Amino acid sequence: MTGPTAPAAPPAAPAGDVAARATAGFRQRYGAEPAGRWAAPGRVNLIGEHTDYNDGFVLPFALPMRTVVAAAPRDEPRWTVWSELDDEPVEFGPAEADEPGRVPGWAAYVAGVVWALRAAGQPVPGARLAVASDVPVGSGLSSSAAIESAVLAALVDLGDLDLPAERWPRLAQRAENGYVGAPTGIMDQSAVIRGRAGHALFLDCRTEQVDQIPFDLDAAGLAVLVVDSRAPHRHADGEYASRRRSCEEAARILGVPALRDIDPAGLDAALAKLPDDETRRRVRHVVTEDQRVLDTVALLRANRVREIGPLLTASHASMRDDFEITVPEIDTAVEAALAAGAHGARMTGGGFGGCVLALVDASAADAVAAAVTAAYAERGFAAPATRTVRPAGGASRLA
Ligand code: GLA
């Protein structure tokens, strides 16, 4: 029996699909109906890694897994957020929202969006929010961009803010850079907000020009297999920031605004001006990776989908040998997938863990997944999670 002074047990987390869980969580926590529900997906990056903050090119696509925010406005400028990750809701007001870092943990992504909107002079409405998600956290599939973007979509609608969707990626990125403190580029938020079903998003990170590239896997008899390496993220934040610093320093030495401005034809001459081998390898990765994105886009436009495989694999080798951001679990997954017949395979995302994607014949997806799982068992690694994915749509309000 529970004594009279014992705290009430939190209600069991709602079950059901992700939208139903967000709605049920809202009702449970706030005893009211939400005014609406907004969803934003996770993403994988087909190719173009660590090129976004070098003003270069990326080719991500949005995933079917989504984060859903059920929300309703309130009269005062305060924000209460419940997430199924946590029993207790987090509440904050303008003072906490206006001071980056004051709201810690997962709720920082929500406070960061409020902060970025307020800093942009937008009259952000107070709100109650409930968050549910199918995007795995810490797997490099951009669960952070998904929550930022779903919250942003909710607040823009609830407040009827004058903010066209083209501006959302920069704002969501600002939340992550300026409030959460992660110096990431514009790729994740762009994919999550601007992704389109059946397409990969070709993004020029300097101009933010977007081109939707048809990526119809079914028509080509292909599948993208995503392997969550389950490798613990070792020093990922510090290593990411140090890669970014090296690139910016190299651009400064080379006298260009960003590494995107190094023409591949002039790469050797540029490398010769750099002071050490490590910096040379970092620059070589970025410059060759930009070119691989352009080559991949050209092949997809020509409907030669299968032929992008070697570019994916070359991207992986470059991340492993030149940018040095892979780990043994990731390399094992790539090697096992290729040995089992994948057309190409590479790590996707920031590195030091996270996911590998492999382009496979649809009929071979299960066999490739099984081969990767067997290779993990042989090496004594924790079993990976595998799934096939198709490009899905970006952030939206749900009916
Ligand atoms: C993370 C960052 C992105 C990008 C990738 C690497 O996902 O959030 O901005 O830099 O790493 O391509």
Side-chain angles (χ1 to χ4, degrees):
M1 280 288 283
T2 312
T5 55
D17 89 357
V18 59
R21 299 201 308 272
T23 309
F26 190 97
R27 289 186 186 130
Q28 262 179 10
R29 282 290 149 190
Y30 307 122
E33 284 299 306
R37 300 176 304 178
W38 291 262
R43 68 95 190 90
V44 285
N45 186 18
L46 188 56
I47 195 162
E49 225 63 81
H50 288 260
T51 45
D52 60 352
Y53 57 78
N54 289 300
D55 276 3
F57 306 107
V58 293
L59 191 62
F61 63 84
L63 291 173
M65 292 95 86
R66 300 179 301 175
T67 294
V68 175
V69 172
R74 65 205 275 190
D75 293 338
E76 44 177 354
R78 291 195 70 73
W79 296 271
T80 307
V81 202
W82 171 84
S83 150
E84 60 186 349
L85 289 178
D86 221 342
D87 289 335
E88 286 307 312
V90 174
E91 172 145 0
F92 58 90
E96 294 93 339
D98 289 349
E99 195 183 320
R102 270 280 288 278
V103 177
W106 60 266
Y109 296 104
V110 180
V113 170
V114 172
W115 172 79
L117 283 168
R118 285 168 64 86
Q122 295 286 339
V124 193
R128 293 191 173 86
L129 309 105
V131 184
S133 184
D134 283 340
V135 186
V137 173
S139 295
L141 298 179
S142 286
S143 59
S144 51
I147 185 172
E148 288 156 5
S149 305
V151 167
L152 182 57
L155 293 176
V156 167
D157 268 1
L158 291 178
D160 204 10
L161 305 182
D162 181 16
L163 202 59
E166 297 79 55
R167 286 184 57 200
W168 295 8
R170 244 341 141 199
L171 269 166
Q173 181 203 12
R174 218 165 280 151
E176 188 142 350
N177 294 171
Y179 196 94
V180 179
T184 52
I186 188 87
M187 170 171 71
D188 302 342
Q189 293 82 4
S190 302
V192 159
I193 290 167
R194 306 178 79 175
R196 186 186 291 172
H199 293 74
L201 183 95
F202 175 38
L203 173 69
D204 179 333
C205 299
R206 171 169 280 166
T207 62
E208 290 181 50
Q209 167 84 30
V210 151
D211 225 333
Q212 300 285 354
I213 308 294
F215 188 46
D216 188 344
L217 291 160
D218 291 337
L222 294 168
V224 168
L225 178 71
V226 172
V227 178
D228 181 348
S229 72
R230 297 246 172 94
H233 275 244
R234 283 168 286 235
H235 317 299
D237 295 351
E239 295 285 358
Y240 184 96
S242 92
R243 294 303 181 285
R244 184 167 182 160
R245 272 197 308 276
S246 302
C247 292
E248 286 165 356
E249 174 62 7
R252 197 189 57 74
I253 295 170
L254 295 171
V256 289
L259 293 184
R260 183 262 180 75
D261 299 300
I262 306 293
D263 189 321
L267 178 60
D268 287 343
L271 296 183
K273 294 189 192 132
L274 293 169
D276 60 274
D277 187 51
E278 185 180 287
T279 312
R280 281 192 283 275
R281 285 185 288 116
R282 303 295 187 253
V283 170
R284 187 165 59 200
H285 166 73
V286 173
V287 175
T288 58
E289 185 78 349
D290 270 334
Q291 188 58 46
R292 283 186 287 270
V293 176
L294 300 177
D295 293 346
T296 302
V297 168
L299 286 171
L300 292 182
R301 283 198 170 120
N303 203 20
R304 291 160 61 187
V305 186
R306 213 175 242 91
E307 291 172 59
I308 71 171
L311 292 165
L312 306 182
T313 306
S315 165
H316 187 77
S318 180
M319 291 190 284
R320 182 191 60 214
D321 302 337
D322 278 352
F323 221 58
E324 295 179 287
I325 53 173
T326 70
V327 294
E329 290 88 338
I330 289 283
D331 293 334
T332 298
V334 167
E335 283 153 27
L338 291 171
H343 299 294
R346 62 182 291 276
M347 184 184 75
T348 179
F352 304 98
C355 289
V356 160
L357 64 79
L359 183 72
V360 298
D361 287 331
S363 57
D366 288 346
V368 175
V372 174
T373 304
Y376 266 50
E378 213 167 280
R379 298 282 300 266
F381 299 149
T386 59
R387 55 167 78 82
T388 56
V389 298
R390 285 185 183 78
S396 64
R397 183 173 189 155
L398 300 180

